[in-house]
Coordinates of all heavy atoms in Angstrom, one line a residue:
V19 N -2.7 6.9 -23.2 CA -1.7 7.2 -22.2 C -2.3 7.1 -20.8 O -1.7 6.5 -19.8 CB -1.2 8.7 -22.4 CG1 -0.3 9.2 -21.2 CG2 -0.4 8.8 -23.7
I20 N -3.6 7.4 -20.6 CA -4.2 7.3 -19.3 C -4.4 5.8 -18.9 O -4.1 5.4 -17.8 CB -5.6 8.0 -19.3 CG1 -5.4 9.5 -19.4 CG2 -6.4 7.7 -18.1 CD1 -6.7 10.3 -19.7
L21 N -4.8 5.1 -19.9 CA -4.9 3.6 -19.7 C -3.6 2.9 -19.3 O -3.6 2.1 -18.4 CB -5.6 2.9 -20.8 CG -7.2 3.3 -21.1 CD1 -7.5 2.7 -22.4 CD2 -7.9 2.7 -20.0
L22 N -2.6 3.3 -20.1 CA -1.2 2.7 -19.8 C -0.8 3.2 -18.3 O -0.3 2.3 -17.6 CB -0.2 3.4 -20.8 CG 1.2 2.8 -20.7 CD1 1.3 1.3 -20.8 CD2 2.1 3.5 -21.7
G23 N -1.1 4.4 -18.0 CA -0.7 4.8 -16.6 C -1.5 4.0 -15.5 O -0.9 3.6 -14.5
L24 N -2.7 3.7 -15.8 CA -3.6 2.9 -14.9 C -2.9 1.5 -14.7 O -2.9 0.9 -13.6 CB -5.0 3.0 -15.3 CG -5.7 4.2 -15.1 CD1 -7.1 4.1 -15.7 CD2 -5.9 4.6 -13.7
L25 N -2.6 1.0 -15.9 CA -2.1 -0.5 -15.9 C -0.8 -0.5 -15.2 O -0.5 -1.4 -14.4 CB -1.9 -0.9 -17.4 CG -3.3 -1.2 -18.1 CD1 -2.9 -1.5 -19.6 CD2 -4.0 -2.4 -17.4
L26 N 0.1 0.5 -15.4 CA 1.4 0.5 -14.7 C 1.1 0.6 -13.2 O 1.8 0.0 -12.3 CB 2.3 1.6 -15.3 CG 2.8 1.4 -16.6 CD1 3.5 2.7 -17.1 CD2 3.8 0.2 -16.7
G27 N 0.2 1.5 -12.8 CA -0.1 1.6 -11.4 C -0.5 0.4 -10.8 O -0.2 0.0 -9.7
L28 N -1.4 -0.4 -11.5 CA -1.9 -1.7 -10.9 C -0.7 -2.7 -10.8 O -0.6 -3.4 -9.9 CB -3.1 -2.2 -11.9 CG -4.4 -1.5 -11.9 CD1 -5.3 -2.0 -12.9 CD2 -5.0 -1.5 -10.5
A29 N 0.1 -2.6 -11.8 CA 1.2 -3.5 -11.8 C 2.1 -3.2 -10.6 O 2.7 -4.2 -9.9 CB 2.0 -3.5 -13.2
G30 N 2.3 -2.0 -10.3 CA 3.1 -1.6 -9.1 C 2.5 -2.1 -7.9 O 3.3 -2.4 -6.9
C31 N 1.2 -2.1 -7.8 CA 0.6 -2.5 -6.5 C 0.5 -4.1 -6.4 O 0.5 -4.6 -5.3 CB -0.9 -2.0 -6.4 SG -1.0 -0.1 -6.3
D32 N 0.4 -4.7 -7.6 CA 0.3 -6.2 -7.5 C 1.7 -6.7 -6.9 O 2.7 -6.2 -7.2 CB 0.2 -6.7 -8.9 CG 0.0 -8.2 -8.9 OD1 -0.7 -8.6 -8.1 OD2 0.5 -8.8 -9.8
G33 N 1.6 -7.7 -6.0 CA 2.8 -8.3 -5.4 C 3.0 -7.7 -4.0 O 3.9 -8.2 -3.3
S34 N 2.2 -6.6 -3.7 CA 2.4 -6.1 -2.3 C 1.3 -6.5 -1.5 O 0.1 -6.5 -2.0 CB 2.4 -4.5 -2.4 OG 2.4 -4.0 -1.0
S35 N 1.6 -6.9 -0.2 CA 0.5 -7.4 0.6 C 0.0 -6.4 1.6 O -0.8 -6.6 2.4 CB 1.0 -8.6 1.5 OG 1.3 -9.7 0.6
Y36 N 0.6 -5.1 1.4 CA 0.1 -4.0 2.2 C -1.1 -3.3 1.6 O -1.1 -3.0 0.3 CB 1.2 -3.0 2.3 CG 2.4 -3.5 3.2 CD1 3.5 -4.1 2.6 CD2 2.4 -3.3 4.5 CE1 4.6 -4.5 3.4 CE2 3.4 -3.8 5.3 CZ 4.6 -4.4 4.8 OH 5.6 -4.9 5.5
T37 N -2.1 -3.0 2.3 CA -3.2 -2.4 1.8 C -3.7 -1.2 2.8 O -3.4 -1.3 4.0 CB -4.5 -3.4 1.6 OG1 -4.7 -4.0 2.8 CG2 -4.2 -4.4 0.6
K38 N -4.4 -0.3 2.2 CA -4.8 0.9 3.1 C -6.3 1.0 2.8 O -6.8 1.2 1.8 CB -4.1 2.2 2.7 CG -4.4 3.3 3.7 CD -3.7 4.5 3.3 CE -3.9 5.7 4.3 NZ -3.2 7.0 3.8
K39 N -7.1 1.2 3.9 CA -8.5 1.4 3.9 C -8.8 2.6 4.8 O -8.6 2.4 6.0 CB -9.3 0.1 4.2 CG -10.8 0.3 4.0 CD -11.5 -0.9 4.3 CE -13.0 -0.8 4.0 NZ -13.8 -2.0 4.3
G40 N -9.1 3.7 4.2 CA -9.3 4.8 5.0 C -8.0 5.3 5.6 O -7.0 5.5 4.9
L41 N -7.8 5.3 6.9 CA -6.6 5.7 7.6 C -5.9 4.4 8.1 O -4.8 4.5 8.7 CB -6.8 6.6 8.7 CG -7.4 8.0 8.3 CD1 -7.7 8.8 9.5 CD2 -6.5 8.7 7.3
Q42 N -6.4 3.2 7.9 CA -5.9 2.0 8.5 C -5.1 1.2 7.5 O -5.5 0.8 6.4 CB -7.1 1.1 9.0 CG -6.7 -0.2 9.6 CD -5.8 0.0 10.9 OE1 -6.4 0.5 11.8 NE2 -4.6 -0.3 10.9
W43 N -3.9 0.9 7.8 CA -3.0 0.0 7.2 C -3.1 -1.4 7.6 O -3.3 -1.6 8.7 CB -1.4 0.4 7.2 CG -1.1 1.6 6.3 CD1 -1.1 2.9 6.7 CD2 -0.8 1.5 5.0 NE1 -0.6 3.7 5.6 CE2 -0.5 2.9 4.6 CE3 -0.6 0.5 4.0 CZ2 -0.1 3.2 3.2 CZ3 -0.3 0.7 2.7 CH2 0.0 2.1 2.3
S44 N -3.0 -2.4 6.6 CA -3.0 -3.7 6.9 C -2.0 -4.5 6.1 O -1.6 -4.1 5.1 CB -4.5 -4.4 6.7 OG -5.4 -3.8 7.4
Y45 N -1.5 -5.7 6.7 CA -0.7 -6.5 6.0 C -1.4 -8.0 5.9 O -1.6 -8.4 6.9 CB 0.7 -6.7 6.6 CG 1.6 -7.7 5.9 CD1 2.3 -7.4 4.8 CD2 1.6 -9.0 6.3 CE1 3.1 -8.3 4.0 CE2 2.4 -10.0 5.6 CZ 3.1 -9.6 4.5 OH 3.9 -10.5 3.8
D46 N -1.6 -8.4 4.7 CA -2.3 -9.7 4.5 C -3.6 -9.7 5.3 O -4.1 -10.7 5.9 CB -1.4 -10.8 4.9 CG -0.9 -11.4 3.7 OD1 -1.1 -10.9 2.6 OD2 0.0 -12.4 3.9
G47 N -4.3 -8.5 5.4 CA -5.5 -8.4 6.1 C -5.5 -8.2 7.6 O -6.5 -8.0 8.3
T48 N -4.3 -8.2 8.2 CA -4.1 -7.9 9.6 C -3.7 -6.5 9.8 O -2.7 -6.0 9.4 CB -2.9 -8.8 10.2 OG1 -3.3 -10.2 10.0 CG2 -2.8 -8.5 11.7
P49 N -4.5 -5.7 10.6 CA -4.3 -4.3 10.8 C -3.0 -4.0 11.6 O -2.6 -4.8 12.5 CB -5.5 -3.8 11.5 CG -6.5 -4.8 11.2 CD -5.8 -6.1 11.2
F50 N -2.3 -3.0 11.3 CA -1.1 -2.6 12.1 C -1.1 -1.0 12.0 O -1.6 -0.4 11.1 CB 0.1 -3.2 11.8 CG 0.7 -2.7 10.3 CD1 1.6 -1.8 10.2 CD2 0.2 -3.3 9.1 CE1 2.1 -1.3 9.1 CE2 0.7 -2.9 8.0 CZ 1.6 -1.9 7.9
K51 N -0.3 -0.5 12.9 CA -0.2 1.0 12.9 C 1.2 1.4 12.8 O 2.1 1.1 13.5 CB -0.7 1.6 14.3 CG -0.7 3.1 14.3 CD -1.3 3.7 15.6 CE -1.2 5.2 15.5 NZ -1.8 5.7 16.8
P52 N 1.6 2.0 11.5 CA 3.0 2.6 11.3 C 3.3 3.6 12.3 O 2.4 4.3 12.8 CB 3.0 3.1 9.9 CG 1.7 2.5 9.2 CD 0.7 2.3 10.4
E53 N 4.6 3.8 12.7 CA 4.9 4.9 13.5 C 4.7 6.3 12.8 O 4.4 7.2 13.6 CB 6.4 4.8 13.9 CG 6.8 3.6 14.7 CD 8.1 3.8 15.4 OE1 8.6 4.9 15.5 OE2 8.6 2.6 15.8
D54 N 4.8 6.3 11.6 CA 4.5 7.6 10.8 C 3.6 7.3 9.7 O 4.0 7.2 8.5 CB 5.7 8.3 10.4 CG 5.5 9.7 9.8 OD1 4.3 10.2 9.8 OD2 6.5 10.4 9.4
P55 N 2.3 7.2 9.9 CA 1.4 6.8 8.7 C 1.5 7.7 7.6 O 1.3 7.3 6.4 CB 0.0 6.9 9.5 CG 0.3 6.7 10.9 CD 1.5 7.4 11.2
K56 N 1.8 9.0 7.7 CA 1.8 9.9 6.7 C 2.9 9.6 5.6 O 2.6 9.9 4.4 CB 1.9 11.4 7.2 CG 0.6 11.9 7.9 CD 0.9 13.3 8.3 CE -0.3 13.8 9.1 NZ -0.1 15.3 9.6
T57 N 3.9 9.0 6.1 CA 5.0 8.8 5.1 C 5.2 7.3 4.8 O 6.1 6.9 4.1 CB 6.3 9.3 5.7 OG1 6.7 8.6 7.0 CG2 6.3 10.8 5.9
F58 N 4.3 6.6 5.3 CA 4.4 5.0 5.2 C 4.1 4.7 3.7 O 3.3 5.1 3.0 CB 3.4 4.3 6.0 CG 3.5 2.9 5.9 CD1 4.3 2.1 6.8 CD2 2.7 2.1 5.0 CE1 4.5 0.8 6.7 CE2 2.8 0.7 5.0 CZ 3.7 0.0 5.8
R59 N 5.0 3.8 3.2 CA 4.8 3.2 1.9 C 5.4 1.8 1.8 O 6.4 1.6 2.4 CB 5.4 4.2 0.7 CG 6.9 4.2 0.8 CD 7.4 5.2 -0.4 NE 8.8 5.3 -0.4 CZ 9.4 4.5 -1.3 NH1 8.9 3.6 -2.1 NH2 10.8 4.7 -1.4
A60 N 4.7 1.0 1.0 CA 5.3 -0.4 0.8 C 6.5 -0.3 -0.2 O 6.5 0.4 -1.2 CB 4.2 -1.3 0.2
L61 N 7.5 -1.2 0.1 CA 8.6 -1.3 -0.9 C 8.6 -2.5 -1.8 O 9.0 -2.4 -2.9 CB 9.9 -1.5 0.0 CG 10.3 -0.3 0.9 CD1 11.5 -0.5 1.7 CD2 10.4 1.0 0.1
D62 N 7.9 -3.5 -1.3 CA 7.6 -4.8 -2.0 C 6.5 -5.6 -1.3 O 5.9 -5.0 -0.5 CB 8.9 -5.5 -2.3 CG 9.6 -6.1 -1.1 OD1 9.0 -6.0 0.0 OD2 10.6 -6.6 -1.1
K63 N 6.5 -6.8 -1.7 CA 5.5 -7.7 -1.0 C 5.6 -7.7 0.5 O 4.5 -7.7 1.1 CB 5.5 -9.0 -1.6 CG 4.4 -9.9 -1.1 CD 4.5 -11.4 -1.9 CE 3.3 -12.2 -1.4 NZ 3.4 -13.6 -2.1

């Protein structure tokens, strides 16, 4: 069950170009600052 959950989690992230490192969000490697970082989330790629 745990492995399945991890795989599903990876599948959900795959296809999105948004990444977060620490407190910094990036799109395709280019940093940007959301207006509300605490509630920011990717919807798709």
Side-chain angles (χ1 to χ4, degrees):
V19 170
I20 293 172
L21 288 174
L22 180 60
L24 290 172
L25 289 172
L26 289 174
L28 290 173
C31 293
D32 186 38
S34 174
S35 297
Y36 290 94
T37 56
K38 185 181 182 183
K39 187 175 182 179
L41 299 177
Q42 178 65 65
W43 279 98
S44 299
Y45 176 83
D46 264 357
T48 301
F50 71 96
K51 185 176 181 180
E53 291 196 23
D54 187 3
K56 291 183 179 180
T57 60
F58 183 87
R59 69 183 182 92
L61 299 176
D62 62 8
K63 185 176 181 180

